Every structure is written in C-alpha cells, then in structure tokens.
Amino acid sequence: MRKFFLLTGIFAVLLGIASCSDTVTYQEQRDREIAAINQYIADSAINVISETTFFANDSMTDVSRNEFVLFEASGVYMQIINKGCGEKIKDGETATVLCRFTESNLLLGADSITLTNKFAMPFNGSVVSPTLAVERMSITKTSGTYSGLFDTSSSFMYSYYSSGTSAVVLSGWLVPFAYINLGRPANDGDEIAHVKLIVPHKEGHLTASQNVIPYLYDITFERGR
C-alpha cells in the first residue's frame, strides 16, 4: 500500500511537471507575436519608418518603397496607400464610415485570410455576399481622440467577433483617421482612403487580445450617407 501511494505521488508530480511544460506563458505568446510580425516585415521587404520621418513627409508613406510607419506607443504599423478624397473628420463630429477590408492572421501567414467583405466567403455555414457585408460604423473625434462603434445591425466584424457583447471598433482601426480624408468620389480621379495595418493583439479585437494574435488588415474607408 505504501508503495502504491509512493508511485501515485511520483505520477502526480510528473503529471504536474508535464502540465506546466505544456502551458504557454504570456511572454512566450508575446515573443511568438513579435516574431510573426518581424517575419512578415522581412518577407514583404517592408521599410519601417519612424513617426518623425512620417510627419516630415506630410504624414504619408512612400508606397513605391513599401514604407510602413511604426507608432511606438501602440505598436501599430500603417501604410497609407491613398489618403482619399474629401476631408478629415472634424473635432466634435461623428461620421458614418463604410469600409471594405481583408483580415489575415499573421501567426498563420499573410495569405491566411480569416475574414473579409471584399469577396464572398463561408460564414456560419453559408456564403455571405460582399454586397451584404459592407462594414458600417460611426467614428467620433473628441478633442483629437477617435472612438467608434460598429453598426450592430449590419457589421460583419461585430457579427463574427463580438458574440453580441461589444460594438466598439478595435483601436488599431482608429489609427488612420488622424491622417486620412473621408469622402465619397464625385469627380474623375477621386479615390477613397486606402491603408494597410499591422495590428498587435493589444490594439485588436477580443479574439486577438485573448489569444495574443497579430492581424494584418487591408482596408478602404469611405464616408457614408
């Protein structure tokens, strides 16, 4: 009997050690996230520029050089492909914004599209038409700070990620609004704003933050009616 308890105790200790070794710490998850972002930057030959350089270039990135600006405080990387027609959101204004986007999980690779409303894709067992999934949200600027809410009756992001608990627009998506114009094409040559974003988990949606996942976004923004 004593031998049985001794063996049982040893087994419990070994099981505990095995369990501990299977547990991934937050730091390990964070290291994995940083590695995935750096791998994408290297594979895509991205030139990372500082905020100082970005502001000196009239808050624009040189797409021909594949520049992304790194915002140190948030860890978000942004490439402005087109600033867009129209004008910036005014202080105190709430604007309706329509957008098309593609989202990729960088832990799985930039080609692993997890969600998009640029083309039809499976969603909850059926195929959703992009025309039915235009992302609609309201963006407010208050004393220079941006906040936003997804339209819960139509938002693809809200339907997919929130489980009905929150309609708040992820922080990473708010970054471009300080630098882009928001308008609707009315003349030849008018284009809507177009950006790419690398969004670390802390600036992402609930799934990103809970699982420490960095996402890549390709997004266009247009003023809604």
Side-chain angles (χ1 to χ4, degrees), residues 24-39:
V24 179
T25 66
Y26 172 74
Q27 186 57 55
E28 289 172 326
Q29 289 178 304
R30 181 73 178 114
D31 290 343
R32 181 183 63 179
E33 175 183 45
I34 293 171
I37 291 173
N38 289 339
Q39 188 66 57

Side-chain angles (χ1 to χ4, degrees), residues 7-8 39 49 84 87 110 112 115 130 140 153 155-156 161 179 193 196 214:
L7 291 174
T8 302
Q39 188 66 57
I49 63 173
E87 57 186 10
S112 62
L115 198 64
T140 301
S153 66
S155 169
F156 203 16
Y161 283 118
Y179 312 104
K196 287 184 179 180

Side-chain angles (χ1 to χ4, degrees), residues 163-181:
S163 300
T165 58
S166 175
V168 175
V169 174
L170 51 153
S171 299
W173 276 29
L174 298 175
V175 171
F177 289 106
Y179 312 104
I180 62 170
N181 299 317

Side-chain angles (χ1 to χ4, degrees), residues 84-86 182-193 221-225:
C85 56
L182 196 62
R184 297 178 66 86
N187 304 302
D188 289 343
D190 283 354
E191 295 185 77
I192 59 177
F221 296 104
E222 179 179 3
R223 186 179 289 272
R225 297 186 188 280

Side-chain angles (χ1 to χ4, degrees), residues 121-132:
M121 67 175 293
F123 179 60
N124 286 346
S126 61
V127 173
V128 177
S129 166
T131 59
L132 300 178

Side-chain angles (χ1 to χ4, degrees), residues 102-176:
T102 297
E103 175 192 77
S104 300
N105 180 338
L106 286 181
L107 293 183
L108 303 177
D111 294 331
S112 62
I113 295 175
T114 51
L115 198 64
T116 184
N117 65 355
K118 290 188 176 183
F119 52 84
M121 67 175 293
F123 179 60
N124 286 346
S126 61
V127 173
V128 177
S129 166
T131 59
L132 300 178
V134 176
E135 201 62 38
R136 190 181 186 91
M137 51 194 181
S138 59
I139 303 296
T140 301
K141 181 180 180 182
T142 306
S143 300
T145 300
Y146 295 84
S147 60
L149 292 172
F150 289 118
D151 179 347
T152 58
S153 66
S154 64
S155 169
F156 203 16
M157 286 287 286
Y158 173 80
S159 299
Y160 195 85
Y161 283 118
S162 74
S163 300
T165 58
S166 175
V168 175
V169 174
L170 51 153
S171 299
W173 276 29
L174 298 175
V175 171

